[in-house]
């Protein structure tokens, strides 16, 4: 298995209730599979994830891309910023 640190920002942090979480995932997991796992653990994230941006090791991930995740990687969940 591989361990990934997931960082939650803004609204996603409110939904999850924490700013970061370590996840243990099977080898070969992709960013798309990670999103599915987060939605399974936090059903309230599901509708939000369509508008969130992911960053893998501080590089933005194109929406819907399935990039490989490696042990020790860091993934950030970044919701759109709301103006006010």
């Amino acid at each position: 298995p591989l361990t990934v640190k997931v960082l939650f920002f803004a609204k996603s942090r409110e939904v999850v209730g924490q700013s970061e979480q370590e996840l243990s995932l099977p080898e070969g997991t992709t960013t798309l599979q990670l999103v599915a796992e987060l939605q399974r653990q936090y059903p309230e994230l599901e509708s939000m994830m369509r508008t969130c941006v992911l960053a893998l090791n501080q590089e933005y991930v194109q929406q819907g891309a399935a990039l490989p995740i490696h042990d020790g990687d860091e993934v950030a969940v970044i919701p759109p910023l709301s103006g006010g």
Side-chain angles (χ1 to χ4, degrees):
L2 48 92
T3 302
V4 178
K5 182 192 285 187
V6 182
L7 305 176
F8 300 98
F9 292 94
K11 184 75 173 159
S12 68
R13 180 175 51 221
E14 292 171 28
V15 167
V16 171
Q18 55 191 355
S19 59
E20 66 179 63
Q21 175 184 7
E22 289 214 337
L23 283 180
S24 184
L25 301 165
E27 291 287 338
T29 297
T30 67
T31 50
L32 215 49
Q33 292 164 319
L34 171 65
V35 167
E37 175 61 21
L38 289 172
Q39 291 172 338
R40 188 187 67 73
Q41 287 188 23
Y42 305 103
E44 320 84 69
L45 277 181
E46 189 166 349
S47 60
M48 187 188 307
M49 290 305 288
R50 281 185 287 246
T51 57
C52 286
V53 174
L54 282 189
L56 176 61
N57 299 322
Q58 301 181 0
E59 295 280 334
Y60 285 115
V61 175
Q62 189 171 345
Q63 187 82 14
L67 301 180
I69 296 175
H70 302 98
D71 190 48
D73 280 356
E74 181 180 272
V75 177
V77 177
I78 308 164
L81 298 176
S82 57

